[in-house]
Amino acid sequence: PVQNAKSLCEDLMTNDCDITNVVRLQKTGTTLAAITQPCIAPISLFDLQAGEGYFVTAAAACTADIVGSHDDEYSQDGGSSVALTTGSNLVSVPYHVQANNAFELCNDIGTITGTEPTNIVRIDPDTRLPTTNGCAAPLSLFDVTPGEAYFMTVAADMDVQWITY
């Protein structure tokens, strides 16, 4: 398993991808700031945290196979949790999530926590444009792909204990 941003660069480069940067969004209050780890840097600027989403930039189009988890707790008897704080959060959806689309993911989170997110946003990898799904009234329904990162906006702090299959 990858431990920090530098090792993520190295791991993805073994998959024939020329990764140039890893980006983490750091949240202060309701503000997000980007922290960029250049892959050519000799040291790692940050450790990777389970449940957080990260962006990587590549010099050219490539495909990397990524396993959802090496954590034995991601099983039928276990699960994973992520703390969402008021405002926007970049969250990696675990491989065992049961929702097929953004609206179902809103409903699942509402069932788990008692409160649905305000919306879920997906960044299209081809156009790099955001697509927003409003949880109260779907604005743009999109499929959920386990392992991908999504922005989830919540009105109040909540802890999501993902439902396992």
Side-chain angles (χ1 to χ4, degrees):
V2 174
Q3 303 296 318
N4 59 46
K6 181 71 176 162
S7 60
L8 178 60
C9 289
E10 292 163 357
D11 187 50
L12 290 176
M13 286 201 203
T14 63
N15 288 297
D16 297 323
C17 287
D18 185 8
I19 303 301
T20 55
N21 298 295
V22 177
V23 180
R24 179 185 85 183
L25 294 181
Q26 180 173 311
K27 191 169 186 178
T28 305
T30 58
T31 305
L32 293 173
I35 299 174
T36 301
Q37 167 72 51
C39 289
I40 60 169
I43 61 169
S44 186
L45 298 178
F46 54 85
D47 290 338
L48 301 179
Q49 301 297 320
E52 287 188 10
Y54 300 89
F55 291 100
V56 294
T57 56
C62 65
T63 301
D65 294 325
I66 300 173
V67 176
S69 172
H70 294 285
D71 185 344
D72 291 337
E73 293 299 313
Y74 288 77
S75 66
Q76 285 187 322
D77 298 326
S80 61
S81 65
V82 63
L84 301 178
T85 57
T86 303
S88 187
N89 301 266
L90 184 59
V91 177
S92 178
V93 176
Y95 74 92
H96 60 267
V97 72
Q98 296 178 352
N100 293 309
N101 59 52
F103 192 65
E104 289 178 9
L105 186 58
C106 290
N107 290 332
D108 285 355
I109 293 171
T111 299
I112 295 166
T113 66
T115 306
E116 289 185 355
T118 305
N119 63 49
I120 297 176
V121 178
R122 174 184 184 268
I123 304 298
D124 184 289
D126 296 323
T127 65
R128 296 185 181 172
L129 296 174
T131 302
T132 302
N133 182 85
C135 290
L139 304 173
S140 178
L141 190 60
F142 52 81
D143 290 340
V144 170
T145 304
E148 282 190 4
Y150 299 90
F151 287 99
M152 293 184 191
T153 304
V154 295
D157 294 355
M158 65 177 68
D159 186 47
V160 179
Q161 178 70 35
W162 295 106
I163 297 170
T164 60
Y165 52 80

